[in-house]
Amino acid sequence: MNYQTKFKKIGDKVKIGLTGTAVLLILAILAIILLAVIAGGYKSLSWEFLSQPPRDGMTKGGIFPAIFGMVFSLILMLIAVVPVGVATAVYLHEYARPDFILTRLIRGAVNNLAGVPSIVFGLFGLGFFIQFIGNGIDRSLGQSGLFGQPCILWASLTLALMNLPMIIVATEEALRAIPQAERAGALALGATKWQTIRHVVLPQAIPGILTGVVLVVSRGAGEVAPIMFTGAAYYLPYLPKLPTDQFMTLGYHIFVMTTQSPDIDATVPIAMGATLVLLALTFSLNIIAIIIRSRTRSQLRKGR
Amino acid sequence: MEIRENRLEIKDFSLYYHRTKALEEISMDIPEKKVTAIIGPSGCGKSTLLRSINRMNEMIDGVLTEGRILLDAENIYDRSIDVVELRRKVGMVFQRPNPFPKSIYENVAFGVRMGENKQAKGRLEEVVERSLKEAAIWDEVKDRLQRSAMELSGGQQQRVCIARALAVEPEVILMDEPASALDPIATAKIEELIFKLKEKYTIVIVTHNMQQAARVSDQTAFLMLGKLIEYGDTATIFTNPKNKTTEEYITGRFG
Amino acid sequence: MSLQKKRFRYLGESLIEGNIKITAILAIIAVFLIFLFIMRESLPIFFSQEVMQEITFGKLFHGIEWQPVSDNPRFSMWPIILGSLKVTMIALVFAVPAAIGAALYSSEFAGPRLKEFIKPVVELLAGIPSVVLGFFALIIMASFLKSIFGWTYRLNAVNAGIALGFAVIPAIYSLAEDAINAVPRSFREAALGLGATPWQTATKVVLPAALPGVSAAVLFGMGRAVGETMVVLMAAGNAPLFSFNPLESTRTMTATIAAELGEVVFGGGHYHALFFIGLALFLVTFVINTVSWVLFDGLMNRLYGAKK
């Protein structure tokens, strides 16, 4: 081996090492954010912190209403987004002909929906759900300010719309993994198309749909821009009871405490704790999704 | 009561796939309670012809058909025909075993559960047992009916798939190279089974294995490039074919 | 006869299919409605006499000041357009090399085990809510960077851009990795067989073959960066200055909507101006994403041919 090729080889190693550094950088970013939030937030954590409402202008007390509101809105969001998302994926993968214009339009729409900025969803929620639908309902009922104002219902629907593509993509991926031979098997036994989907296809897609649900919950928990004008409140002295109430939610609460507080020094420790709670939640949800996915993949490999 | 010898009649049947002719005006009468084999080089359309008999070709986009296939004198391509009913009368076994990832019991019960036959639904356990016995797999699985069918060997899976098809009480069973993915022992078991099944069912089998066709079938059809070249008694086709191409294929000069 | 169509079955099946189809069409309706309603709320800028006394389309591009709440309100979008551009560019300068380097490493040089590890790491980064990234950049990172580099302004475009980069890296990575993985193995084998080193194979053969997909990934990341709200709202200092200096505070289009919509008079000029910004964002991201999608799809079709 002459010097030139040796030199080249070392050069190559250095360059490959550089791309490896990019991986390390990503790992480092993740680690630093995690460690910084844990280090800053763990002192605030306690049972009181999780179970008490904020006190003294949010400088003391806990974050319970924000957790409660978040769970409330996420449940409503799931009720809206899961059936629609799964049905859309089933249509695209099981019924639609791939080359039809309608199919392409739906795919294009889903893709574009995934790319719409989150704040634009917020604008839409305000303009459509609250101003148009909500006010419309109020007017027809001869009242005002019940539906035509920000509330959990509209915030959840806005979140649902925003997360629709994620459920569709996850479900479709799961449908794609099911061998065509099993559909053929069911049809050949005299099952109808819907029976085949209902009894053979969907049961196998459940882990994939579940992955989608987990990811959507995680994303929904952290999104602030779409809900800040459609239902989230700075501070509420009571817990929401109805979908037409406003709500506090964790992500928005963090934002409010770090940017809108008159006494930042007093609220930052609480905001740190809240951030830690939110991060722990989304982090564990994502890990759950990763585990479900790798399990189903290895099962698929074993089974067939 | 009229006794018809040919339950299944294919009359001038053509199939187009995106405007290419995959089957050309095929006519053949398939006798009842006999085994009819379809042979021919790969790509000759034998699987396509088989899948035309239960209209499974409809799963593929761009398929058009002409002509008729009659089951008990009813044209199965008529617009008034219910494909679901057709497929309950004409069962199918696929090239690769394709059990559902459910228990053995649920696999066999599937067709009945999906159907409207209240009687069969009422005595599901009986139906499952009878079907598994008919498919000669009962003894191997009777103690683990609730275990997943995916845990079985390939040959066992294929016999569960046959049992699954039998459970809906079909009249005709289509087999698409049912043993091509199996080892010789499993293959022998399937062939034995086919021999037994023809007492009750009309069987149409596609195979690329000529020895197999010679062993199991009563009638043989030889297909090439979408055309039916020769059709007749298996014994005649294999010992004294009328057509030169058939002879060349049988003697292994091509294919 | 026994094979005749069963009415009830036929009816049930088409009823179910119809319902599923209508549900699927909701996605189209949703995109259409989003466009329609954002449009509806921004149109008064063009047509309403009352609103046009306060703000017109021309005023949105006149001057260099965004000061909607003052005795003499000024609505020039230039400072916030510049802010969006500045922050997006900084984010991409930081995120593109990191994401594509990592994608190249994981698909070309990493062993299978390491590969299985890298993907979840990126997914976890993608899973961090943007409000948490914003919080991190605002409370922790900004002070740290300021103390190191001696910045005058703690919160500025660079600070926000870097944090935005965190949010954009996973998006670029996943698309770029898909594109690189789609390059057939035969390309690599051919190059290696001709005596090319792994590095040469990766950069001279694989990367060029995947280039449309990698460009799509960069565009996709750009769309994300332009549309991201919380990070820039919290970490950029929130001052709509017309300045090319990356170390001054800034404000993006998204952050402007988020910061001001809460305090605006419904139906007033300012309100409609904010919706117009939203419309612009919608259209810009729509175009960027569509181009990205077309590029990516074209690559996949070419590499997989008719199989797909």
Side-chain angles (χ1 to χ4, degrees), chain C residues 124-208:
Chain C
L124 287 176
L125 184 61
I128 298 181
S130 57
V131 67
V132 173
L133 289 179
F135 176 83
F136 173 78
L138 167 67
I139 303 291
I140 297 159
M141 193 170 78
S143 308
F144 177 72
L145 291 178
K146 186 186 174 195
S147 69
I148 286 188
F149 297 109
W151 287 346
T152 324
Y153 305 101
R154 209 172 69 91
L155 301 177
N156 56 43
V158 172
N159 185 53
I162 292 174
L164 191 56
F166 299 166
V168 168
I169 284 174
I172 302 180
Y173 172 91
S174 66
L175 224 57
E177 205 219 1
D178 281 353
I180 294 171
N181 275 335
V183 175
R185 194 191 292 179
S186 58
F187 281 37
R188 297 182 177 87
E189 282 162 358
L192 291 171
L194 289 170
T197 64
W199 175 255
Q200 287 171 327
T201 307
T203 52
K204 302 255 157 69
V205 177
V206 176
L207 209 52

Side-chain angles (χ1 to χ4, degrees), chain A residues 84 88 102 105-110 113 124 128-129 133 161 164, chain C residues 21-37 282:
Chain A
V84 175
T88 306
L102 180 68
L105 274 176
I106 295 173
R107 281 194 191 284
V110 172
L113 212 51
F124 172 70
F128 179 68
F129 288 129
I133 304 272
L161 191 60
L164 186 61
Chain C
K21 191 172 181 174
I22 288 168
T23 314
I25 290 172
L26 275 184
I28 303 178
I29 297 174
V31 172
F32 184 70
L33 281 180
I34 291 175
F35 179 68
L36 195 78
F37 273 83
F282 177 84

